[in-house]
């Protein structure tokens, strides 16, 4: 067994089911699953409840698998950063080999089930999402460029398109809008985190924007990207697949994002950056909840 | 023949989508040009212009 594998953090401690669950990045997964489910709910057509359940499960497993492989690859920098040093790999609870095997097996299983029980379009999108997150974001972009989360955001933005394709079997402008909303939400969300964790990223040598271009530049980037993102959230209304309830919610929620982005421009930005980071999570959740609410009413 | 109001609204909305997508694409391209500098294998973040420890 790989429990004999030596780790940089020291000897391997006993691993529990909880450690493997942690390897799946459950907090990230919950938002991925939710947005995937919303895509599934909004898509035109009928899906059998069991297939819908399987679809969401596959999205969850695929996201978790990508997270596990990410933790395997990033174990060196995770051990340096205070935010991630207690993850199962740097803490020595799971061996790198076990984590990689777990991630790869889950990736294959989730894509295979999606292909055989749901359809080839969602399976292809799921595979692209996992491969992009692992090979493009984790292995290249993250350590190479301050644009890492800008381009890498595409992986996290795919779940609603996958959910949509599970029902309709295709890719449409409407599902692309859902993708675009998350894609454009990702930079301000992660830069807010990077603002108050920039020393951690610098210590680990990760070229996040505050590390490479400074605090002021990041504050401006957050504001401008937020100002670009908010109008994009109105697209579902203007394209006619969601109505005024959604538009009202996106206006109110978007105003909150802009307000907090402006607040983050202050000299003492740490508290506001934290608020923006937390708010942005609720923002995306509530925005997608409004979509389902509108659809169900 | 005059297009119906709904067809006209739909084509207006589609035009809006294309304009917005073009704006987003230009914005991302400019952003990439300004901050998309990449590290090559073995290079450290210190090659970026900012003093990352203090700024």
């Amino acid at each position: 067994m790989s429990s004999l594998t030596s780790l940089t953090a020291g000897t391997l401690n006993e691993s529990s089911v909880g450690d493997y669950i942690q390897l799946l990045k459950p907090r990230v997964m919950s938002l991925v699953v939710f947005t995937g489910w919303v895509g599934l709910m909004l898509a035109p057509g009928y899906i059998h409840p069991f297939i819908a359940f399987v679809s969401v499960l596959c999205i969850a497993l695929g996201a978790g698998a990508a997270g596990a492989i990410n933790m395997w690859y990033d174990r060196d920098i995770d051990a340096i950063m205070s935010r991630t040093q207690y993850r199962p790999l740097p803490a020595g609870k799971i061996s790198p080999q076990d984590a990689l095997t777990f991630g790869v097996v889950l990736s294959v299983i989730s894509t295979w089930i999606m292909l055989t029980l749901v359809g080839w379009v969602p399976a292809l999108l799921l595979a692209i999402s996992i491969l992009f997150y692992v090979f493009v974001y984790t292995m290249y972009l993250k350590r190479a460029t301050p644009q890492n989360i800008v381009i890498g955001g595409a992986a996290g933005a795919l779940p609603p398109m996958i959910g949509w394709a599970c029902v309709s079997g295709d890719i449409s402008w409407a599902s692309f809008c859902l993708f675009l909303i998350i894609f454009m939400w990702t930079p301000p969300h992660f830069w807010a985190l990077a603002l108050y964790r920039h020393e951690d990223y610098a210590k680990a040598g990760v070229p996040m924007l505050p590390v490479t271009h400074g605090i002021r530049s990041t504050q401006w980037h957050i504001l401008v990207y937020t100002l670009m993102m908010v109008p994009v959230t109105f697209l579902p209304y203007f394209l006619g697949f969601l109505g005024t309830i959604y538009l009202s919610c996106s206006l109110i929620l978007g105003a909150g994002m802009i307000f907090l982005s402006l607040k983050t421009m202050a000299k003492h930005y740490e508290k506001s950056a934290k608020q923006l980071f937390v708010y942005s999570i609720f923002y995306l959740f509530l925005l997608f909840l409004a979509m389902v609410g509108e659809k169900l009413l | 023949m005059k297009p119906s109001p709904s067809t006209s609204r739909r084509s207006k909305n589609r035009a809006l989508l294309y304009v917005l997508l073009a704006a987003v694409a230009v914005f991302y391209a400019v952003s990439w040009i300004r901050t998309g500098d990449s590290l090559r294998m073995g290079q450290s973040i210190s090659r970026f212009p900012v003093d990352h420890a203090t700024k």
Side-chain angles (χ1 to χ4, degrees):
Chain A
M1 223 2 225
S2 53
S3 57
L4 293 171
T5 312
S6 65
L7 290 167
T8 46
T11 52
L12 194 69
N13 301 315
E14 206 173 309
S15 55
S16 64
V17 175
D19 295 322
Y20 279 91
I21 290 172
Q22 218 191 320
L23 209 57
L24 301 174
K25 296 193 176 181
R27 275 188 295 184
V28 176
M29 192 209 272
S30 59
L31 206 56
V32 164
V33 167
F34 180 69
T35 56
W37 174 75
V38 171
L40 194 136
M41 291 290 289
L42 294 179
Y46 171 78
I47 185 168
H48 190 280
F50 175 71
I51 299 297
F53 171 76
V54 169
S55 304
V56 173
L57 186 70
C58 287
I59 294 171
L61 289 179
I69 300 172
N70 169 275
M71 281 202 203
W72 163 76
Y73 192 81
D74 277 350
R75 61 192 186 279
D76 56 339
I77 53 177
D78 281 353
I80 299 168
M81 293 172 64
S82 53
R83 189 174 72 91
T84 53
Q85 64 183 324
Y86 298 110
R87 282 178 173 176
L89 281 159
K93 289 176 177 170
I94 295 176
S95 75
Q97 196 191 332
D98 284 350
L100 178 63
T101 308
F102 183 61
V104 172
V105 168
L106 273 188
S107 301
V108 173
I109 289 176
S110 58
T111 312
W112 183 76
I113 295 175
M114 190 71 108
L115 178 68
T116 51
L117 290 185
V118 189
W120 71 270
V121 178
L124 181 68
L125 290 173
L126 183 64
I128 290 171
S129 159
I130 296 169
L131 294 173
F132 190 87
Y133 187 72
V134 170
F135 290 104
V136 181
Y137 171 70
T138 303
M139 294 186 182
Y140 173 62
L141 291 171
K142 185 171 178 180
R143 296 169 191 240
T145 168
Q147 286 276 317
N148 46 16
I149 45 99
V150 178
I151 312 300
L158 276 170
M161 279 183 101
I162 301 171
W164 184 288
C166 288
V167 181
S168 69
D170 63 11
I171 295 165
S172 69
W173 276 115
S175 71
F176 181 72
C177 280
L178 304 181
F179 166 88
L180 202 60
I181 289 170
I182 304 180
F183 184 63
M184 299 205 63
W185 163 89
T186 308
H189 168 72
F190 277 107
W191 283 333
L193 170 74
L195 262 186
Y196 67 89
R197 292 279 187 186
H198 68 98
E199 285 170 356
D200 228 11
Y201 282 110
K203 203 165 64 175
V206 180
M208 292 298 279
L209 197 61
V211 178
T212 60
H213 289 72
I215 301 301
R216 198 68 194 149
S217 173
T218 309
Q219 289 168 320
W220 274 109
H221 272 79
I222 289 174
L223 181 63
V224 176
Y225 270 74
T226 303
L227 290 173
M228 283 295 291
M229 176 203 67
V230 172
V232 169
T233 64
F234 305 151
L235 272 179
Y237 170 78
F238 286 108
L239 285 177
F241 75 95
L242 287 169
T244 47
I245 294 175
Y246 168 75
L247 181 68
S248 313
C249 291
S250 58
L251 272 166
I252 295 164
L253 291 166
M257 274 298 283
I258 294 170
F259 171 72
L260 285 173
S261 303
L262 283 167
K263 221 175 142 196
T264 305
M265 295 291 287
K267 198 176 173 195
H268 300 288
Y269 59 85
E270 287 88 351
K271 198 178 158 197
S272 319
K274 270 184 201 169
Q275 286 174 337
L276 177 63
F277 176 71
V278 173
Y279 177 80
S280 65
I281 296 168
F282 286 104
Y283 169 78
L284 194 70
F285 174 77
L286 291 173
L287 198 68
F288 275 70
L289 191 67
M291 292 178 190
V292 179
E294 172 95 56
K295 172 92 174 178
L296 293 177
L297 284 173
Chain B
M1 210 168 85
K2 212 176 161 190
S4 71
S6 68
T7 313
S8 156
R9 195 172 57 242
R10 219 175 300 139
S11 59
K12 258 189 209 163
N13 288 344
R14 190 50 63 86
L16 173 79
L17 172 71
Y18 293 145
V19 169
L20 205 54
L21 285 181
V24 168
V26 169
F27 175 71
Y28 270 76
V30 171
S31 174
W32 176 264
I33 291 163
R34 285 177 61 88
T35 64
D37 219 6
S38 296
L39 293 174
R40 281 189 292 277
M41 194 69 88
Q43 280 185 322
S44 99
I45 50 168
S46 57
R47 72 168 279 270
F48 284 102
V50 172
D51 177 1
H52 55 82
T54 55
K55 196 80 185 277

